[in-house]
Amino acid sequence: MSQASGNVFIKYNPYTVETIIRFDSFDEYNGEEPKESSPLHSSYLNGYGGKNGKRLQEWIDRLPSILEKSGREKVYTITFHGTTLDYEDVKVVVDNSSVIKRCEHIQGCNPENKIIQLKKLYEDACNIGFDSINNYGAEIDRAFQMGFEAYVVATMSAGKSTLINALLGQKLMPSKHESCTAVVTRICDTGVGNVFSAHAYGRNDDKPRETIKELSYEAMVRLNSDDNITNINIEGNIPFVDTKGIPFIIVDTPGPNNSRNTDHRAITMGEIETGKHSFIIFLLDACQNGTDSEKLLLEDISKAMGKGGKMSRDRFMFVVNKVDEFYNETENIKSLLITNRDGLAKYGITDARIYPISAAVALAATTGLDNVSAVDRALALEMVTKKELHLEKTITGINSHIPASARNELEKILKESVETSNLDKQALIHSGVPSLRAAMVEYIEKYAHAMRIGEIADKLKASLDCAAIVAKLNTDITTDGKKRDEILEAISILEKQIKSGEQGKAYESQLEERIQGILTDVKDKIKKQEMALRDFVREYSDQHKENRLSPSMARDISREWVRCFKHREALLKNSLFDILDQGIKLSAEQFLEDYRKSVEAIMPRDEVGALPFDPFSLIGAEMTLDSTIDSFTTEEEKSRQVQDGYIMEKNPEREGFFGFLKFWEPWSIDVPVYVTEHYKEEYVEWAEYAQDIIGKVRAGIVAYCEEATKQADTNSEKMLVDFKNKFARLNDKLLQKTAELSAMSKNDKTLQGRIDQNTKLVEEVKQLEERLINILAI
Amino acid sequence: MGNKRLSNFATSHNITAHPMAGEKKKIRIRYYATLDYFVRQCVGDDEYANARLLQYHTMLVGNEAMVVLTNENRDDIIRSIVNAWFWLRPWRWKYRYWLLCDLALVLLEEVETKNAYEQLSVLLSCKQTSLLAELLVILWNENEVPARLSFAKELINQFRLNRRFIEKPLTRILMTATMSAGKSTLINAFIGADVLEVRNEACTNRTQRVFNKPFDDGKVNRFNDDVAIYIEAFSDNRFCFIDTPGVNSAQHPTHREITQAEIREGQYDVIIYVFNARYAGVTDDDSHLLYVLENKPPDLNVIFILNQLDAFNEDDSIDESINKLRNFLEEYGVREPIICPISAKAGRLARKVSKGAKLDKTEEMWYVAFSESFNSPNLDLSVYYSEANNTDEIPLLRQCGLIGLEKILLMISGGTFR
């Protein structure tokens, strides 16, 4: 295969996250595998045991340098077998590389309809009806229903509500209250209908306080200005976002300065850091107003983007709004965006994808230009007439990639609307919002879809495997006499154990011990967090050593401090969520799993259900950092020279004979008179003021950590009770199962029927497994 | 920048109808060389004088080769213009009068003009000197120009206008805002032409001064960042708008320092603090506001401008925004703040239209849109100004709040405000 030399075959399956690489080959069956030491070796790319596989986007941009280092050839070509979207990423890398000459695409199965196929498979499995699918049912249902979230974060007055309205295609989010709202709004795409409905919740509410069937702008204004409302869940059809089976959710979070509590801030930060089922839309104002206020969030984003290759960079879309309003002849949009890019680079955010948009134009265009105000119409028309304002053009944005198919589609619509002089449509496309939407859908299709398909398939596979084991057990017990005796023996021992309750008790006391252990661990971690936070505060308090500051300076610094401490507080909450969530919940589940394993032979897995664990209920305390500057302000008497009018004096120029002749010089001149004026200057004794703030912060931290420890205690108590219940339920199930198995093993006249039924089930499960493999194939 | 230079900068010069313009090339060049020589003798290498001379150079010399004055030829050339060998070319006697007028226009200051006159008289006879002295007196008084000097009337009047103008008190208006509040657009709206660059971010990174000139000579004087231009609305008084950099730029923290230094140490009589109505009440704003309030001279008027009301629509309430801003300001101890709601963007277009300037296609479209939207009773801003009269030919000029604001500024400069 001489012509294959230098060709690299890459097959990537995004659903199973499996990669096959072969050198000097055009397919997976020939050629040479990468060396074990190479980062392209399957053990590295696919992980061990089919878990922790690496996504293509995590390593593809390093491919050229890896190939270059390997030194096999001077130039390479690539044959890529996979989805179109993944191929586009490969293409970008190839186009920018000197090592790889060209690449070819072997079309794989695109993710379209795969979720729907999985759903069908699941329904069929349910119809056949075996225990394990029922037991897994809740989990699989959840995996199907779990939405994909787009967190919209914006700097002050960047036009967040206008953008969301533009995405919704109608005016729902109130812009007036944007700067003062403390409400978290989630908008879930149901894909049907044209009215939105809403549920409004208060803090710690389980049931909605209010439900609105047909949501209107006025209702939203009312809900947003209601102090008792903290969450609004909206459902309806988000137009033009077809995410093919995954519910799409837009989450609108309040800004940093106006949050009444820091909980949702912590959640947003958590999503930025680890969100697997979300991406972040960071909306900026074209003139960079108030980027400082989101400084801390941008630093977090910068950190998160630094980890994990292209995929984690793709997760953040920076959207620059109002470019048309701030654009003028002296500069083009690109340079405006470059300023924005440089502004982001200051926080270490490089390679940001920056999309220019005009949300106002998009909203006006969707509403119809005939129905909007003269100014909005002018804004839209300006965009249509001025070529340099056509934001959908790729060259306008920075890294503002959208898939070729979506681009063609937009171009087609644009061409049609130019021909029919449809100004609404033209304005909409030029507004850049459809491009942004396409980029969002692309992300969902490329990552979310593939991931979700993988997750659901994993669960389905587990339940099918489980069914196969059960079926085998049943076959064994009905057909194989020796096996039957063994199993019956095991059952009788187990029954005895459960009934005597001794082993159960032993397990319970072990569990108690273990939870206590975890609790100590958690408290330890809280203590550590507390210390870290104290150190942080101390560091801060050392930053300013000045004795006296003007009130405005002091206010500036203290505001910056409060902002920083609030951010740290949110961080602390975030890590406490983690500690409690990971620490108690996971360990306890692990424990239950262990117990379950000990009886695995009889009952492969059982549905226990998620624990009723709600991190929201964790947080009670809130730092109060109000420190009045006035009590630290002192006045000081100062004096300065000020002019106090003039007196007339003889002009020295006109003295003497020659002076007399100088007719152009005046006879007298004005001489200013100065007086000393006393005035008061205000200043702040900084040390005292800082001490006050720091004191309050410290007290806040202590109170907060105490609260968290208390919460951990009650949580673990609750959990223990919960586990005991589950334990009992598990044992009941076990007893039921053993009874079933005993019945199954009875050698009576229904035996043949049971054998037939079982054989049929085995066959059906096998078919389902094959279908599943087909769905997942690339 | 010294006070003297400054007033020289803000004067108008219209020399398109200069009597020398029709002369022969050789004479024009010699005239210019003489003018240039005397100006240099009096003020040396002065940038404002250079700018003035450049205008003369363009008119008199153009692209022709310039004669170079040497020690040998200098006296001859100058004499040929000023002294004119009366007996040889008697028709040239007017030249020295024009020259003195031009010198006065360039130098402006009485002392320096006298100085030039004295140097000039060395070359003249006694009679010629005393006759020329008469012109000097006439330039500095208000009497009717005598018939025998009517050939220089145009230049004399121009000079008198400039002189009278610089004698008026100067009202210095410091304009400050956080970023992108529309300061530059507002100044352009006063002028009715895009003299200041309007950019959103970093552009205005230095303090820029805009002076008004006594009459329209169709020119914009520029020096470094400073600008002098005829502003019709303010032509009765001398104004200086001090445009400071926006303070809220994350990328240019030095802007804040520059602006704060100007507030602390600069000389000004009024402050215009521009709020962007879209961001008014956003907390980032108040540290700068506090700085202004704490560091401005006490008892100095601050006019708070709520700009960009063109971004408002029917859902937004201007009253509410004004009240919010008022409460906000009162919280900071500003008693009865003067709040002027305007749209500089609309004002700029309206002023352009009223000046007869041509609008491009999109400007035209915006003008129509603004005319419509500000005409609605919800957005008509003229109701917030008691002084805005209703006689203006372009309603938008009034409805966008520009006229009302200008009236307030005029009253402040005339000392009739409050």
Side-chain angles (χ1 to χ4, degrees), chain A residues 235-296:
Chain A
E235 282 186 356
N237 180 17
I238 303 176
F240 308 112
V241 180
D242 178 13
T243 49
K244 295 175 186 113
I246 300 181
F248 177 59
I249 300 165
I250 297 173
V251 187
D252 176 14
T253 58
N257 291 352
N258 304 294
S259 45
R260 274 174 224 151
N261 67 73
T262 38
D263 282 3
H264 47 244
R265 196 73 181 157
I267 293 166
T268 310
M269 277 162 45
E271 287 302 327
I272 284 174
E273 221 172 294
T274 53
K276 266 202 157 173
H277 304 285
S278 65
F279 64 85
I280 315 284
I281 295 175
F282 200 105
L283 191 64
L284 294 156
D285 190 301
C287 69
Q288 282 255 311
N289 230 318
T291 320
D292 276 351
S293 65
E294 289 292 3
K295 189 172 133 195
L296 303 159

Side-chain angles (χ1 to χ4, degrees), chain A residues 343-495:
Chain A
L344 291 175
K346 225 183 61 181
Y347 301 101
I349 299 175
T350 46
D351 288 333
R353 310 165 76 192
I354 302 178
Y355 293 82
I357 63 157
S358 171
V361 167
L363 186 60
T366 344
T367 320
L369 296 186
D370 296 333
N371 311 323
V372 297
S373 73
V375 171
D376 282 345
R377 189 164 54 238
L379 211 55
L381 290 180
E382 184 173 18
M383 192 159 253
V384 173
T385 19
K386 280 199 179 155
K387 269 214 169 60
E388 59 269 37
L389 281 177
H390 292 182
L391 302 180
E392 83 283 4
K393 286 188 195 137
T394 352
I395 52 159
T396 321
I398 297 173
N399 298 331
S400 58
H401 169 80
I402 69 169
S405 56
R407 180 163 305 288
N408 293 340
E409 179 70 10
L410 286 181
E411 271 165 19
K412 209 181 99 201
I413 298 173
L414 182 63
K415 210 171 148 222
E416 275 170 19
S417 53
V418 171
E419 275 161 15
T420 56
S421 337
N422 186 335
L423 286 174
D424 291 357
K425 272 193 185 158
Q426 286 178 47
L428 181 64
I429 287 180
H430 296 322
S431 76
V433 171
S435 309
L436 174 67
R437 208 179 257 148
M440 278 160 49
V441 171
E442 184 199 18
Y443 183 87
I444 297 173
E445 276 187 17
K446 188 150 75 184
Y447 299 109
H449 251 85
M451 268 196 275
R452 187 62 50 83
I453 290 167
E455 277 166 18
I456 295 172
D458 270 355
K459 297 209 162 85
L460 277 171
K461 189 162 179 302
S463 90
L464 289 175
D465 285 351
C466 183
I469 294 171
V470 171
K472 183 157 182 297
L473 202 64
N474 287 347
T475 317
D476 287 350
I477 220 163
T478 43
T479 52
D480 186 333
K482 202 176 156 224
K483 275 263 168 72
R484 173 171 46 207
D485 289 344
E486 275 174 29
I487 292 166
L488 284 177
E489 169 95 24
I491 286 174
S492 74
I493 293 171
L494 190 66
E495 258 177 330

Side-chain angles (χ1 to χ4, degrees), chain A residues 157 171 176 257 285 287-289 325-326 328 336 339 346 375 378-379 381-382 386 555-556 559 664, chain B residues 114 118 179-180 198-201 250-251 278-279 282-284 286-287 290 315 362 365-366 369 373:
Chain A
S157 300
K171 201 169 171 183
K176 239 196 290 185
N257 291 352
D285 190 301
C287 69
Q288 282 255 311
N289 230 318
E325 286 171 61
F326 288 103
N328 58 59
L336 199 75
T339 324
K346 225 183 61 181
V375 171
L379 211 55
L381 290 180
E382 184 173 18
K386 280 199 179 155
R555 218 175 291 238
D556 255 14
R559 183 176 300 124
W664 60 87
Chain B
K114 290 258 156 72
E118 270 164 22
M179 276 212 315
S180 298
V198 184
R199 278 212 231 151
N200 299 297
E201 316 103 55
Q251 286 145 54
R278 286 191 262 214
Y279 307 121
V282 168
T283 45
D284 276 29
D286 63 356
S287 64
L290 259 172
D315 301 331
T362 36
M365 188 177 73
W366 277 108
S373 68

